[in-house]
Amino acid sequence: MTALAATIASIVGRRHVLTGEAATRPYATGYRFGGGPVALVARPGSLVEMWRVLKACVAADHIVIVQAANTGLTGGSTPDGDYDRPVAIISTMRIDGIHLLRGGRQSVCLAGSTLYALEAKLAPMGREPHSVIGSSCIGASVVGGVCNNSGGALVQRGPAYTEYALFARIGEDGAATLHNHLGIALGDTPEAILAALDHGRIDDAAITDDARAASAKDYAQRVRDLTADTPARHNADPDRLFEASGSAGRIVVFAVRLDTFPTEANTATFYIGTNDPAELSALRAAMLAGNTPLPILGEYIHRDAFDLAATHGKDVYLAIRLLGTARLPMLYAARRRLDGAARALGIRAPLSDLLLQGAARLWPSHLPRRLTEWRDAYEHHLIVKVGGDAVETTRALLAERFPSNTGAAFECDAEEAEAALLHRFAVAAAAVRYRAVNADTVEDIIAIDVALRRNDADWVEAIEPDLRASLLPPLYYGHFFCHVFHQDYLVRKGGDPAAIEHRLLAALDRRGARYPAEHNVGHLYAAPPALAAHYRALDPCNALNPGIGKTAKRRHWQDA
């Protein structure tokens, strides 16, 4: 054991310090992309322990990567390539406290708290967090969402954002300092402040409000502006970079303070299919008009994505449907243990993927009849959920427009509504599964989440024929009203993923699109100038998650 590992063991306990390639691999390898060697992984159990671990790592001149659930798709919370100092990962998932303020109208979420846990805690109060679909099911952290400017599916709320945070910086002098910008008086010393949050000692009288925002309050107005030639949201939007928000690990965030939102009691879900994408563009314009209530969500699925999710996302769908979201993180952990044991025995095949895919094939058809009928009839699918006054308005609007010569719509019953949204969620895992079990025919995945301009009516991608020949049918799905799309490309064996991605991104540049839209730049994308400047201002020593956004990796940005 190294001197640093011994010091950290004295802080968090020996079982919560991991060293060696086998023990650290689950933390040092990205969910979809990236990975590299680390000196150790520390798993503190409190904010006070996290602060002490950070100081020990800084004193030992180690790079620090703070990691929550490691569910990101661009490798933004794992190492990548070579560094000029050893790398230590601080995993925050044992620090999962959530404190509700003022009857649940706001929350203070500690470093490892998850969206799922926040959703469950708010539900009895008739409130919900920024996001309640997708990443909330697989244990994604609240703080991770803020640090990565994550998006979310809910049309009215926009990206995760707050200007209230408790964080540490590594200053020009190389020392760690704690900054309490939560707007809550918690104590006078770092350990007193952190201990107060660890134990939930928050006095209402100590909470102050000022002009700062605890959510993206202007998003509802922004998403309605369909004349704008800029995206409604994207990861590097300069308007959303503020301390913890968009920090991507360039500061160490201990807690954030966020708004919560009333849960819609009266909702309805509609399923629309069409063979003419212009019909969906016209529907988007009508539903985002200034005199109509905004929908709750509008999720798009292309037929090819529908098909792959039905065959290679089936186990994810069934796991959520049968086990519930509460057990899904446990299932993912079991998968990691199984794959780790297989590797230790010399089995290089993705054992858990092969077993789950085989089991899913034995399960009978899992989708409601009307969803499969719409798949057979229509290429483009849109799931629209509305609430309150928008229910009757949407019923009338869809009745006016459908059926048409090219499309039709129906209102879902409870089973169909749940199935449609679960199926949409399963699309995101389908490409990863397909690659895992078809390594002999698939070279790799290119995953792009892109924000189109709000006024871009021509949203269907046209790929050059020679490029399409190198790909399996692309998978298109996303948040239609926000004009944010996820585009997954399975490259045929022998293809050059880097060259193909370069051409795909160049085509997006010509269209005025922005990428990534909501999963952060990670180690896949170059940070635009405003984002790179944000990183450099937060981390002048380049000691925290260096290299993110293809920025410099050496101390003090020497190779910038």
Side-chain angles (χ1 to χ4, degrees):
M1 181 180 289
T2 65
L4 176 60
T7 298
I8 293 176
S10 71
I11 298 170
V12 303
R14 180 65 189 88
R15 65 188 293 259
H16 295 301
V17 181
L18 308 177
T19 57
E21 196 268 341
T24 60
R25 184 188 295 113
Y27 300 87
T29 304
Y31 171 70
R32 180 182 278 186
F33 168 85
V38 299
L40 59 85
V41 175
R43 304 193 311 128
S46 68
L47 295 179
V48 171
E49 288 185 0
M50 184 175 165
W51 169 247
R52 293 172 180 170
V53 168
L54 172 64
K55 291 198 299 178
C57 291
V58 171
D61 195 27
H62 277 51
I63 285 168
V64 174
I65 298 175
V66 179
Q67 180 187 99
N70 194 18
T71 58
L73 302 183
T74 58
S77 58
T78 52
D80 181 74
D82 298 324
Y83 297 85
D84 61 345
R85 292 149 287 170
V87 177
I89 290 176
I90 300 177
S91 171
T92 64
M93 293 308 288
R94 294 178 62 220
I95 311 172
D96 57 359
I98 297 171
H99 309 305
L100 301 184
L101 309 179
R102 296 168 171 168
R105 295 195 303 277
Q106 286 189 327
S107 65
V108 171
C109 298
L110 306 194
S113 59
T114 64
L115 276 169
Y116 171 76
L118 179 58
E119 184 180 345
K121 193 158 189 171
L122 288 170
M125 301 180 173
R127 300 189 73 83
E128 58 190 21
H130 156 265
S131 180
V132 295
I133 184 176
S135 57
S136 59
C137 298
I138 56 175
S141 75
V142 177
V143 169
V146 170
C147 292
N148 292 318
N149 272 355
S150 296
L154 303 183
V155 178
Q156 302 157 8
R157 299 178 194 171
Y161 181 75
T162 187
E163 295 170 2
Y164 292 97
L166 173 65
F167 59 91
R169 291 185 69 231
I170 310 299
E172 294 276 7
D173 59 357
T177 56
L178 190 72
H179 302 263
N180 180 10
H181 294 176
L182 285 173
I184 304 172
L186 295 166
D188 298 323
T189 67
E191 294 211 359
I193 292 167
L194 297 168
L197 279 184
D198 277 331
H199 297 97
R201 295 195 295 264
I202 301 176
D203 186 345
D204 278 355
I207 304 170
T208 59
D209 297 303
D210 50 35
R212 288 179 290 164
S215 60
K217 294 180 182 296
D218 64 336
Y219 188 72
Q221 179 181 354
R222 182 181 291 200
V223 77
R224 288 187 187 273
D225 184 2
L226 301 188
T227 64
D229 64 354
T230 57
R233 57 179 169 92
H234 63 98
N235 178 264
D237 185 348
D239 292 342
R240 304 297 184 204
L241 303 178
F242 187 93
E243 296 180 343
S245 295
S247 60
R250 305 316 296 255
I251 54 177
V252 177
V253 181
F254 292 87
V256 292
R257 175 178 163 190
L258 294 160
D259 290 331
T260 69
F261 304 88
T263 302
E264 291 272 13
N266 175 38
T267 65
T269 300
F270 301 88
Y271 200 95
I272 300 115
T274 183
N275 291 313
D276 181 4
E279 281 195 303
L280 297 187
S281 294
L283 182 62
R284 173 173 173 259
M287 295 194 72
L288 295 185
N291 60 346
T292 59
L294 281 175
I296 296 171
L297 60 81
E299 293 296 290
Y300 170 78
I301 313 175
H302 186 272
R303 177 190 277 155
D304 291 331
F306 185 108
D307 289 346
L308 200 71
T311 57
H312 288 75
K314 188 176 181 180
D315 62 294
V316 172
Y317 175 104
L318 293 172
I320 300 172
R321 190 77 178 262
L322 300 176
L323 301 178
T325 54
R327 292 185 175 90
L328 207 56
M330 182 172 61
L331 179 62
Y332 276 83
R335 285 189 56 187
R336 287 194 297 269
R337 288 193 294 270
L338 175 61
D339 288 335
R343 279 191 294 268
L345 295 172
I347 301 172
R348 297 301 173 190
L351 187 58
S352 65
D353 283 299
L354 291 169
L355 291 174
L356 288 168
Q357 187 63 23
R361 286 196 187 100
L362 299 176
W363 199 273
S365 178
H366 61 295
L367 294 175
R369 175 182 55 81
R370 280 203 288 186
L371 266 63
T372 58
E373 289 177 349
W374 252 243
R375 177 263 166 232
D376 293 340
Y378 305 111
E379 180 181 2
H380 304 282
H381 298 233
L382 182 64
I383 307 161
V384 175
K385 184 177 180 180
V386 296
D389 294 341
V391 173
E392 289 302 326
T393 302
T394 305
R395 282 187 184 131
L397 179 65
L398 294 178
E400 288 175 5
R401 293 168 179 260
F402 299 105
S404 68
N405 291 333
T406 55
F410 66 87
E411 184 170 349
C412 299
D413 61 28
E415 180 185 0
E416 290 167 333
E418 181 185 18
L421 290 172
L422 283 182
H423 190 60
R424 157 63 186 89
F425 172 66
V427 175
V432 177
R433 168 61 52 74
Y434 191 90
R435 177 185 62 176
V437 300
N438 292 280
D440 56 335
T441 59
V442 174
E443 189 69 33
D444 206 349
I445 299 172
I446 300 169
I448 303 173
D449 59 300
V450 57
L452 301 183
R453 297 171 298 179
R454 282 168 280 176
N455 64 357
D456 195 347
D458 188 16
W459 51 272
V460 178
E461 185 179 45
I463 301 179
E464 298 169 52
D466 69 309
L467 201 56
R468 184 173 285 275
S470 300
L471 304 169
L472 294 172
L475 309 179
Y476 300 112
Y477 54 102
H479 316 305
F480 186 70
F481 292 114
C482 300
H483 245 25
V484 168
F485 293 89
H486 301 280
Q487 302 179 176
D488 293 347
Y489 308 87
L490 290 157
V491 180
R492 295 183 189 275
K493 201 68 175 178
D496 184 343
I500 293 170
E501 182 174 27
H502 179 77
R503 289 181 60 183
L504 292 169
L505 295 180
L508 290 173
D509 291 339
R510 291 192 294 271
R511 297 175 64 188
R514 296 288 182 270
Y515 50 84
E518 58 185 14
H519 287 148
N520 203 358
V521 290
H523 288 288
L524 281 178
Y525 303 100
L531 185 58
H534 184 55
Y535 293 162
R536 192 160 185 164
L538 293 175
D539 183 19
C541 290
N542 209 21
L544 301 171
N545 209 10
I548 199 82
K550 300 188 182 297
T551 56
K553 286 186 175 180
R554 295 178 63 83
R555 68 176 74 244
H556 297 288
W557 301 78
Q558 291 172 5
D559 53 337

